[in-house]
């Protein structure tokens, strides 16, 4: 099969290339696909409802830090999904990976300024987790610890992105909850 006739969704198939250190096992690959696809779809539905005026009043939109936080976190979901499933080691993978890590760090740090006086809640536990993982992702890749690099990325994607994302839709009063269910 030549590059011109390659299936564009081929990266979803774990058997299209020899397994390498960055390849995900079938269970983790399935979990990433389900979580990433579901979260992307739910985010798109919430944004569409809000854009069409179906969400009611959204006072959150007047708060710059909340809008900044949402603008940096939303691209992390589909971009992270793509990076975890696409071929690794390419120049594009490396550049998009740097963008993803930068967005995750910016997103995490922006949460510190959402509440007046930097009031912290339980969900802020993901800030140091994200900062630690971002450091380890880079350090392990530079050391050549590809398996450790992969494990940190998967943990960050499923842990510090999906868990707070789910809570953003569940907790009443949060912007994403209001956009989806308001």
């Amino acid at each position: 099969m030549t590059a011109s006739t390659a299936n564009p969704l081929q990266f979803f198939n774990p058997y299209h290339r020899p397994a390498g250190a960055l390849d995900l096992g079938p269970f983790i690959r399935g979990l990433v696909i389900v979580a990433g696809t579901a979260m992307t779809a739910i985010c798109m539905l919430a944004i569409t409802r809000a854009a069409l005026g179906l969400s009611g009043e959204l006072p959150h939109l007047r708060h710059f830090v909340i809008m900044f936080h949402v603008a940096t976190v939303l691209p992390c979901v589909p971009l992270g999904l793509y990076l975890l499933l696409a071929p690794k080691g390419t120049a594009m993978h490396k550049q998009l990976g740097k963008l993803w890590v930068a967005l995750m760090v910016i997103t995490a740090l922006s949460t510190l300024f959402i509440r007046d006086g930097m009031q912290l809640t339980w969900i802020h536990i993901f800030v140091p987790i994200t900062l630690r993982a971002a450091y380890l992702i880079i350090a392990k890749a530079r050391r050549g610890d590809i398996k450790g690099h992969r494990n940190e990325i998967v943990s960050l994607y499923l842990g510090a992105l999906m868990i707070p994302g789910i809570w953003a839709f569940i907790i009443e009063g949060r912007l994403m909850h209001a956009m989806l269910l308001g």
Side-chain angles (χ1 to χ4, degrees), residues 20-101:
L22 276 176
D23 287 324
L24 304 174
F27 176 76
I28 296 298
R29 185 180 201 80
L31 187 59
V32 165
I33 290 170
V34 169
T37 303
M39 184 62 74
T40 300
I42 291 169
C43 289
M44 289 175 59
L45 177 61
I47 291 167
T48 302
R49 283 182 43 83
L52 295 174
L54 303 174
S55 297
E57 183 66 26
L58 297 173
H60 310 82
L61 299 180
R62 292 187 286 259
H63 197 298
F64 172 76
V65 178
I66 292 174
M67 292 306 302
F68 181 81
H69 174 73
V70 171
T72 58
V73 76
L74 285 178
C76 290
V77 178
L79 179 58
L81 176 63
Y82 172 78
L83 288 168
L84 285 167
L85 300 177
K88 313 299 185 281
T90 65
M92 184 167 70
H93 172 80
K94 291 175 184 178
Q95 290 302 313
L96 290 176
K98 290 173 187 174
L99 174 63
W100 186 78
V101 170

Side-chain angles (χ1 to χ4, degrees), residues 4 6 8 19 27 37 64 77 93 116-117 119 121 125 131 169 173 181:
S4 62
F27 176 76
T37 303
F64 172 76
V77 178
H93 172 80
D116 291 333
Q119 298 171 354
T121 65
I125 189 65
L131 297 176
F169 285 104
L181 303 171

